Every structure is written in structure tokens, then in C-alpha cells.
Amino acid sequence: MIPKEIFQKIRRIQIRSSHQVDELLAGSWNSAFRGRGIEFEEVRPYQIGDDVRSIDWNVTARSDQPFVKLFREEREMSVILLVDMSRSVEFGTVSQTKRELIAELGATIAMSATRNNDKIGLTLFTDEIEKAIPPRKGSRHVLRIIRELLYCQPVGTGTSIRNAVEHLNRTCKRRSVVFLVSDFFDSGFESVLKVARRRHDIVPITVSDPGERALPKVGLVRLRDSETGEQVLVDTSSRKNRKQFSELFARKEEQRLTMFRRLQMEPIQLTTGEDIVDPLRRYFHAREQR
């Protein structure tokens, strides 16, 4: 039985996300992901009027006559939320934490998928797989996803995107749209992500907080790594220290964007305290144009 106060919070985020779906995503969902729900069915001999781009050259070479590939459109699409629940997403210096932002985002995506009769699944990870919910339909299923995003108590503290993507590769055999949501405070996962994108349509979504980009000038502070527990004393009154802090974040961000470009992925970048609608709108409209 869900406690009343928890149910009320779930209900609030459901209502807020519902408005965002009405405002933004429902009309663009199918257009943005058009052509992803296509599966190969069979080959048949070429007929006059067939598109030459559909010729299967391997079969044609073996049979000495042209054959074309036939495809069928799937009636539904599977969407997977692959979500980082490590300790670092509990951080927030404005009106919300990164985890609260992730919950709002996940609810919006889940409701968009459900309204378009698509299945939605959820995998939560830290440095291990915390929970995996298979793709299903229905409003009750969406409520479960929102509840897990808000109130799952992870066992792990660190981040292993490699483990999460390897789990996806093992368990998700059907081509899916995968929203990989994380602050990406991790490395060494590019090779498995490259393998996964051959089968799935992977959309990276990075979440950050303004406090990670710049140090406030407040004198001596003790900073603690939320995932490792390591602590360091920093003099924030030093302009040099503040500059080095900002440059380090900018350098890591640029390295991450360079990696996504190599993988031909276009990330969505979200920041706590800011509306998620505009970044999503820009991304969806860009996909529609393509």
C-alpha cells in the first residue's frame, strides 16, 4: 500500500507531466520516431516498379536474378528508460535535485509513449542493476514507473554505464527506442554503447546542476564526492580555484559531446531548475526535420 503523502507526490508529477505531454510531445512523438518501427519480413523477386534501393544485393548475387527486401511496420514501439540512480543524481543546488528532474522527465516520456499505444519499460542502475521493469502499456504501469523513479532506494552508490548498456544488450532483443538518462560521471563505456546503437535507437539525455559548473565564492568549503566519499578542502575565495573548477567541468562536458559525435548520437542536455519543454521540443523538431 502506497503511503498517502507518497501517492500525492506521484499524482502531482503525473499531472505536471500530463500537461507537458499535451503541450509538447503527443503530437510530435510518432513523427520524431517515424521509421523506427520497421522489421524485415522476407525477400521476393524484383518486379517492375519496385524501388531499386530495396534490392538485396547478397541474395541477388547468389541467385543471378534481382530480389528485393520486404519490410512490415510494427503496430507498436518499445521504449526503454535506462536511468542512472547513483548517489551523484541526488545533488541539487536550485529548486530541485537531478533525481527529481529525472523523475519529471521519465514521467513525461512514459506518458507520451502510453498515449501513442507504445510499450514503456524501465531499468534503474548504479554500479549494478537496481531494478528492471519490462515494457508494458497502461496508466497503472506508468504510475509504477513514476513511483520507482521517485522512491527506489538503490543499493549501489557509484555509476557503471557499461554494466547498464551490457544488460540492455543481453535482455532487450527487440529494437527499441532507449533513453539513456544520466549525469555521465563515468567513463569506459563508449565501446558497449557503439554495439548497442547498432540495434537500438539510443537517445542520451544528460542532466546537470548549476552548482557543478561554477563554485560560489563562500570561502573555505569541504567538498565530498557523493559516489566515492572522497573529501577535499577548497578555498572558493580563490579566483584560480573557481576557474579551474569551471574549466574541469567544461573539459569533461566537451569530451562527452565529442564521444557522442563519434557515435553519431545527438544528446539532449537538461539542467535542474529549468523547464524541460524547450530542450525536448528542439530535439523532437530536429528529428522530425530529418
Side-chain angles (χ1 to χ4, degrees):
M1 186 70 179
I2 302 175
K4 183 178 179 180
E5 63 274 12
I6 293 180
F7 182 82
Q8 288 174 341
K9 190 168 184 179
I10 293 173
R11 183 61 179 161
R12 283 197 298 271
I13 197 169
Q14 182 191 26
I15 292 172
R16 175 174 171 80
S17 300
S18 179
H19 290 323
Q20 290 172 336
V21 172
D22 291 336
E23 175 186 350
L24 170 67
L25 300 182
S28 302
W29 183 267
N30 287 329
S31 298
F33 296 101
R34 181 175 52 230
R36 298 301 181 179
I38 301 296
E39 283 193 344
F40 171 75
E41 190 167 40
E42 62 178 348
V43 296
R44 64 159 172 77
Y46 176 85
Q47 298 175 1
I48 295 176
D50 285 340
D51 190 337
V52 295
R53 292 174 296 182
S54 64
I55 292 176
D56 187 323
W57 294 107
N58 291 328
V59 176
T60 297
R62 291 196 300 267
S63 59
D64 292 328
Q65 60 175 316
F67 277 76
V68 296
K69 296 178 181 179
L70 297 182
F71 297 86
R72 62 181 173 84
E73 185 173 359
E74 297 177 7
R75 294 184 179 179
E76 60 189 28
M77 182 171 64
S78 287
V79 179
I80 304 292
L81 288 168
L82 191 59
V83 178
D84 182 357
M85 286 281 113
S86 61
R87 286 276 177 86
S88 61
V89 303
E90 302 290 347
F91 183 74
T93 61
V94 286
S95 57
Q96 62 183 172
T97 64
K98 289 188 285 185
R99 179 162 178 177
E100 289 169 338
L101 173 63
I102 288 171
E104 181 182 339
L105 170 70
T108 303
I109 291 174
M111 294 177 69
S112 296
T114 296
R115 289 196 184 184
N116 285 274
N117 202 36
D118 296 323
K119 294 180 179 179
I120 179 76
L122 174 68
T123 299
L124 303 177
F125 69 92
T126 53
D127 44 14
E128 57 186 272
I129 302 301
E130 298 288 343
K131 181 157 292 191
I133 301 175
R136 293 193 180 92
K137 298 180 183 180
S139 57
R140 288 173 63 90
H141 183 64
V142 171
L143 284 174
R144 181 188 178 190
I145 286 176
I146 297 173
R147 185 181 73 233
E148 296 294 348
L149 287 168
L150 282 170
Y151 296 106
C152 173
Q153 300 298 317
V155 175
T157 60
T159 306
S160 178
I161 295 174
R162 169 178 284 275
N163 285 350
V165 176
E166 286 178 343
H167 178 269
L168 172 75
N169 291 338
R170 288 194 307 269
T171 59
C172 189
K173 303 302 181 183
R174 177 183 178 183
R175 181 175 177 84
S176 303
V177 175
V178 180
F179 291 92
L180 173 56
V181 187
S182 175
D183 51 20
F184 289 92
F185 290 169
D186 192 19
S187 60
F189 56 86
E190 182 175 351
S191 59
V192 294
L193 202 56
K194 184 176 181 179
V195 172
R197 72 170 298 276
R198 294 171 186 163
R199 174 179 295 170
H200 303 294
D201 182 357
I202 299 181
V203 181
I205 303 181
T206 65
V207 293
S208 63
D209 183 89
E212 296 167 336
R213 297 178 177 273
L215 280 176
K217 188 178 179 180
V218 291
L220 283 175
V221 295
R222 188 175 299 277
L223 303 180
R224 183 175 65 87
D225 187 308
S226 58
E227 296 190 6
T228 66
E230 183 181 354
Q231 297 187 32
V232 61
L233 191 64
V234 178
D235 182 6
T236 62
S237 61
S238 166
R239 180 182 299 177
K240 179 181 177 181
N241 288 344
R242 296 197 307 274
K243 181 180 179 183
Q244 287 178 338
F245 184 89
S246 298
E247 288 176 344
L248 178 61
F249 183 89
R251 187 162 57 249
K252 289 183 176 180
E253 186 175 48
E254 181 56 36
Q255 289 171 351
R256 183 173 63 243
L257 292 173
T258 300
M259 178 197 67
F260 287 142
R261 284 193 290 267
R262 281 197 301 268
L263 295 174
Q264 297 181 321
M265 293 180 178
E266 182 182 351
I268 304 172
Q269 301 185 71
L270 303 178
T271 304
T272 56
E274 297 181 2
D275 193 359
I276 68 173
V277 171
D278 281 343
L280 290 175
R281 180 187 289 119
R282 288 194 299 268
Y283 180 82
F284 273 62
H285 288 178
R287 284 190 65 127
E288 287 183 68
Q289 294 300 315
R290 291 197 299 270

